[in-house]
Amino acid sequence: NDVADSVANNVVTGKSTSATTLFDWNSAEIGPMLPSYEYEITQEMIDKYRKAVQDPDARFPTIAVKEDTVSFYKLYHDVGSVNARCTFYCYGPPMPGKRIRVHAWIADKYFRRDKPYLVTESVSVDSDGRLIDRVITHELKRPLEVGEKWKS
């Protein structure tokens, strides 16, 4: 199964392709590692990413893999979330043919305007141990509230 397709299926249908636990924001612990995973970067992935972002020199197709949420959805399922903020730190562009290993964890959780947010952080390295990128994502974990302020 393609990693991104697996995550997309979980987010859209609320069902994972593997057994997961319903996410409970109140009992979520900060710090423990989420499931790690790896995949191979191919020239085709790089080419598709460059075409999608309309930049023939784009160097970080790892962004398109959604590394920041894959590990979360390998362990949990939920009603979805809304990306409130995402920061990418890009270090060494991945090379075709290299395996990428992603490690992630819940870095923080907080309430803002009485809404629960979850912060996940991921770090990816290639098979030679080179640091590829670091991603920090803040997600609103009550997505149905996003449109509430526009209701009449």
Side-chain angles (χ1 to χ4, degrees):
N1 251 354
D2 180 67
V3 171
D5 288 344
S6 177
V7 170
N9 179 63
N10 191 354
V11 171
V12 172
T13 66
K15 298 175 184 168
S16 175
T17 54
S18 60
T20 58
T21 303
L22 179 62
F23 180 70
D24 177 8
W25 190 92
N26 291 315
S27 65
E29 293 183 30
I30 297 168
M33 296 300 286
L34 295 169
S36 295
Y37 67 96
E38 62 180 55
Y39 62 96
E40 183 176 336
I41 284 285
T42 65
Q43 187 62 49
E44 179 184 15
M45 290 170 73
I46 294 170
D47 294 343
K48 283 182 177 180
Y49 175 70
R50 287 176 173 169
K51 183 177 179 181
V53 298
Q54 299 178 355
D55 181 352
D57 298 318
R59 299 173 9 163
F60 286 89
T62 51
I63 292 169
V65 177
K66 301 183 187 282
E67 291 179 341
D68 52 324
T69 56
V70 170
S71 290
F72 178 84
Y73 286 110
K74 283 182 158 296
L75 185 60
Y76 299 110
H77 62 275
D78 63 10
V79 296
S81 60
V82 175
N83 188 335
R85 176 177 37 179
C86 192
T87 306
F88 287 86
Y89 297 93
C90 300
Y91 300 100
M95 306 301 285
K98 294 289 183 182
R99 295 210 51 85
I100 305 296
R101 183 137 188 87
V102 180
H103 302 278
W105 58 94
I106 295 174
D108 198 6
K109 64 180 187 176
Y110 59 91
F111 272 95
R112 184 172 181 197
R113 296 186 188 121
D114 296 321
K115 293 174 179 55
Y117 288 81
L118 185 74
V119 181
T120 55
E121 186 168 344
S122 69
V123 173
S124 60
V125 296
D126 72 10
S127 51
D128 293 331
R130 290 182 335 118
L131 179 60
I132 303 299
D133 59 23
R134 182 172 149 235
V135 183
I136 302 168
T137 303
H138 297 245
E139 295 179 298
L140 169 60
K141 283 305 199 183
R142 215 182 292 153
L144 295 178
E145 295 194 20
V146 172
E148 290 296 316
K149 69 180 182 181
W150 289 287
K151 284 188 175 181
S152 305

